[in-house]
Amino acid sequence: PDVNPGKSVHLLSDAPIFVERFLTDGIYQERAIAYSRDPDSTTVLQHHYSFWLDSPSRMLQQQLEDYLRKSDAGPMVTDEVSVNAGLLIHGRIRQLDRILTPGATGVKVVLDFSVEQPGRDEPLLVRQYKADVRAADDSMPASVTAFGTAISDIFARLEDDIRTRLTAVQ
């Protein structure tokens, strides 16, 4: 995912930011790309010929780390637990589906986040983010591009919400 180039840059934390491997259950633990033929995703299946390069939980962890590094969110963004971390970001994959409906292909992404700031009794932020993006066509590359757009949108909203909460608690 790309960082919004027009966004002003201010550190989220002066200390390292730790991004935990995303949690997930069921079908999203596997590398096969999940899909549904109904927009509500009541039945989710797996492509037996299209796979992510890595598990979705590791892939999204790495993408969030890269996103935060590119946005200069902190002096260091890592997946290594740090005793002096300024922020701890925990993610959970609720939905990461390719939606195949007649006449329209798209993606639906639902991610939960909990952000902790050491020294605080309560989480800084607990929120669910959703993004639905229509693919340019029915091809798998177009769906992957749509996933990238959806995830970038969610990460941008997460970063904005963390900034807002940090300002509110200071």
Side-chain angles (χ1 to χ4, degrees), residues 30-97:
E30 301 176 30
R31 288 182 44 233
I33 294 175
Y35 72 96
S36 180
R37 295 202 181 276
D38 72 272
D40 296 326
S41 297
T42 53
T43 304
V44 180
L45 307 166
Q46 291 178 308
H47 285 290
H48 295 292
Y49 51 87
S50 296
F51 296 88
W52 297 113
L53 290 175
D54 204 343
S55 69
S57 60
R58 178 72 179 128
M59 179 183 65
L60 287 176
Q61 175 192 27
Q62 290 172 333
Q63 286 186 329
L64 181 55
E65 287 176 50
D66 290 345
Y67 181 92
L68 293 172
R69 284 185 191 118
K70 287 178 184 174
S71 73
D72 292 323
M76 178 172 49
V77 179
T78 181
D79 60 3
E80 298 293 325
V81 178
S82 174
V83 187
N84 63 344
L87 291 175
L88 307 163
I89 302 176
H90 312 282
R92 176 178 283 279
I93 301 167
R94 293 289 181 193
Q95 198 168 2
L96 191 66
D97 298 344

Side-chain angles (χ1 to χ4, degrees), residues 4-153:
N4 182 350
K7 183 184 256 187
S8 65
V9 177
H10 295 92
L11 293 178
L12 289 178
S13 173
D14 292 329
I17 298 171
F18 169 69
V19 178
E20 183 179 63
R21 187 178 186 136
F22 281 54
L23 299 174
T24 191
D25 297 314
I27 201 166
Y28 304 112
Q29 293 178 13
E30 301 176 30
R31 288 182 44 233
I33 294 175
Y35 72 96
S36 180
R37 295 202 181 276
D38 72 272
D40 296 326
S41 297
T42 53
T43 304
V44 180
L45 307 166
Q46 291 178 308
H47 285 290
H48 295 292
Y49 51 87
S50 296
F51 296 88
W52 297 113
L53 290 175
D54 204 343
S55 69
S57 60
R58 178 72 179 128
M59 179 183 65
L60 287 176
Q61 175 192 27
Q62 290 172 333
Q63 286 186 329
L64 181 55
E65 287 176 50
D66 290 345
Y67 181 92
L68 293 172
R69 284 185 191 118
K70 287 178 184 174
S71 73
D72 292 323
M76 178 172 49
V77 179
T78 181
D79 60 3
E80 298 293 325
V81 178
S82 174
V83 187
N84 63 344
L87 291 175
L88 307 163
I89 302 176
H90 312 282
R92 176 178 283 279
I93 301 167
R94 293 289 181 193
Q95 198 168 2
L96 191 66
D97 298 344
R98 183 173 187 229
I99 307 297
L100 305 171
T101 57
T105 296
V107 301
K108 181 178 253 184
V109 179
V110 179
L111 303 175
D112 292 344
F113 287 98
S114 173
V115 180
E116 297 176 26
Q117 190 176 33
R120 293 181 51 85
D121 292 335
E122 298 175 1
L124 179 69
L125 177 74
V126 176
R127 189 155 296 150
Q128 183 175 85
Y129 297 86
K130 298 177 183 181
D132 294 294
V133 176
R134 188 169 180 165
D137 57 45
D138 293 342
S139 70
M140 187 59 75
S143 292
V144 170
T145 298
F147 275 118
T149 300
I151 292 165
S152 290
D153 173 66

